[in-house]
Amino acid sequence: MVEPADSVPPLPPKNLMSRVGRESSKDLASAYLSTGSALKAGVVDLLGGEWSWEGRRMLDFGCGSGRLLRQLLDEARVAEIHGSDIEDEMVSWVREHLCPPIAGATVNGPQPPLDHPDDHFDLVTALSVFTHITDGWSDWLLELRRVLKPRGLLLATFLDSSLGRTLTKLPWDEDRVGMSAIGFADPDTSWPNVLHSHWWLREHWGRAFEVIELRGGGDTPMQGWALLRAREDELTPEQLEREDPDDPRYREARRYQLELLRAEGDELKQRHRDLVQSASWRLTDPFRRAKARLSRR
């Protein structure tokens, strides 16, 4: 989105731009801006031509350093748009540089609740959020439904076969993935990556939300998109997580998760073997031995 020169906010510091997504490009600014623009395009496309921002209230849950919020400054002049993130430094930057016209940004904890009342928002976005939540996903999904107005909309992204094939060496099998996670011990990532089969999303997210559309990532590795409408059924996290004991896909998903963990362990072992055979490891070995002897005294 092109803005008048006198209204363009500054870019976040490099450490904030590089902390979210896969912004490892040497040109962090271009990656940050192009990703934000693509996210807005996805939101607008899924909401469709009948959507109007006029008088709406929106929350960008997991807003980070404002990749999406930055693209919604014009919309924020006719709508009330908020952000929320777990990292205080991110939220502080958004407050200082994007508010106003962004209405506000708050720090959320690792578990609910959010600092917003019931039935408050017309739209909640959760982009690159449930792609990393392993424990407590059901609590957060119900919390987002709590702050949505009746029949309010949730736009969330997920990792399906499109990116799943690049994140793991195991073959993708839609019936076996279910909800699986990888990257727990990867030193190159801050959060694990959570993979989702479409059937699993319809079965579990679909208990709290009407699934309007699941849009896969496609041939080019990208996150998938889910457009959901809040249901009014009262549910507990346990009910949201409950598995059908007669559905063999859950059994296969547990096996797939074990295979992922085994493959990750094998990769870490190989990294360790490569490290101990390196010249730098052999050079520093006497210092480690000396430290170990001192620690035993």
Side-chain angles (χ1 to χ4, degrees):
M1 181 175 65
V2 178
E3 303 171 64
D6 61 353
S7 68
V8 176
L11 290 169
K14 289 184 178 180
N15 68 304
L16 297 187
M17 286 193 290
S18 63
R19 202 177 297 173
V20 293
R22 291 186 170 268
E23 313 290 39
S24 57
S25 166
K26 291 182 179 179
D27 189 351
L28 282 172
S30 293
Y32 172 86
L33 292 171
S34 63
T35 301
S37 179
L39 291 175
K40 179 185 178 182
V43 169
V44 170
D45 185 43
L46 275 161
L47 289 176
E50 295 184 2
W51 173 266
S52 171
W53 292 97
E54 187 77 35
R56 301 285 190 167
R57 191 179 287 136
M58 170 194 159
L59 172 67
D60 184 20
F61 176 60
C63 67
S65 55
R67 287 186 304 177
L68 175 61
L69 293 177
R70 179 190 189 88
Q71 302 292 328
L72 296 174
L73 300 184
D74 284 346
E75 288 77 5
R77 293 179 173 90
V78 297
E80 184 183 322
I81 299 179
H82 296 256
S84 176
D85 199 87
I86 196 170
E87 296 202 36
D88 181 75
E89 190 177 5
M90 299 274 205
V91 170
S92 295
W93 190 90
V94 168
R95 284 174 178 165
E96 181 176 355
H97 298 286
L98 301 183
C99 302
I102 299 301
T106 57
V107 179
N108 59 261
Q111 289 89 34
L114 293 170
D115 189 22
H116 295 289
D118 296 357
D119 305 335
H120 193 61
F121 294 104
D122 300 283
L123 170 67
V124 172
T125 55
L127 312 183
S128 296
V129 175
F130 289 99
T131 53
H132 303 294
I133 298 179
T134 54
D135 300 320
W137 65 266
S138 56
D139 298 277
W140 276 118
L141 200 66
L142 292 176
E143 176 65 3
L144 297 185
R145 194 187 68 166
R146 179 188 70 79
V147 300
L148 275 167
K149 295 179 180 179
R151 299 184 61 76
L153 297 176
L154 170 62
L155 261 174
T157 59
F158 57 90
L159 299 176
D160 64 357
S161 61
S162 179
L163 271 170
R165 291 190 175 98
T166 71
L167 294 172
T168 174
K169 296 178 181 178
L170 294 183
W172 184 276
D173 185 333
E174 184 71 12
D175 285 340
R176 298 192 68 220
V177 173
M179 174 183 167
S180 300
I182 57 174
F184 290 99
D186 189 343
D188 297 326
T189 60
S190 301
W191 305 91
N193 288 302
V194 179
L195 311 176
H196 287 105
S197 293
H198 288 211
W199 68 264
W200 191 97
L201 293 171
R202 291 186 182 278
E203 176 61 34
H204 293 273
W205 290 12
R207 295 172 188 173
F209 291 87
E210 173 193 350
V211 179
I212 300 173
E213 182 176 355
L214 290 182
R215 183 177 298 180
D219 295 332
T220 302
M222 296 177 63
Q223 294 188 19
W225 292 76
L227 176 61
L228 313 168
R229 179 177 288 117
R231 298 186 189 274
E232 297 185 18
D233 304 6
E234 290 295 327
L235 290 170
T236 65
E238 292 74 23
Q239 289 173 318
L240 211 57
E241 296 176 14
R242 189 189 66 248
E243 298 179 356
D244 181 354
D246 297 323
D247 190 335
R249 292 177 298 186
Y250 290 106
R251 182 174 61 253
E252 289 301 314
R254 285 190 287 274
R255 289 176 177 170
Y256 188 80
Q257 179 66 81
L258 287 173
E259 292 170 18
L260 286 173
L261 294 173
R262 186 180 298 116
E264 188 172 338
D266 290 342
E267 183 177 349
L268 288 173
K269 289 177 183 178
Q270 185 59 52
R271 286 191 184 188
H272 181 261
R273 286 193 291 267
D274 294 341
L275 176 63
V276 298
Q277 293 171 6
S278 67
S280 60
W281 182 271
R282 292 195 300 270
L283 183 64
T284 56
D285 186 59
F287 298 100
R288 288 191 300 277
R289 291 178 182 275
K291 182 179 179 181
R293 287 194 298 270
L294 289 171
S295 66
R296 291 195 292 269
R297 291 181 180 178

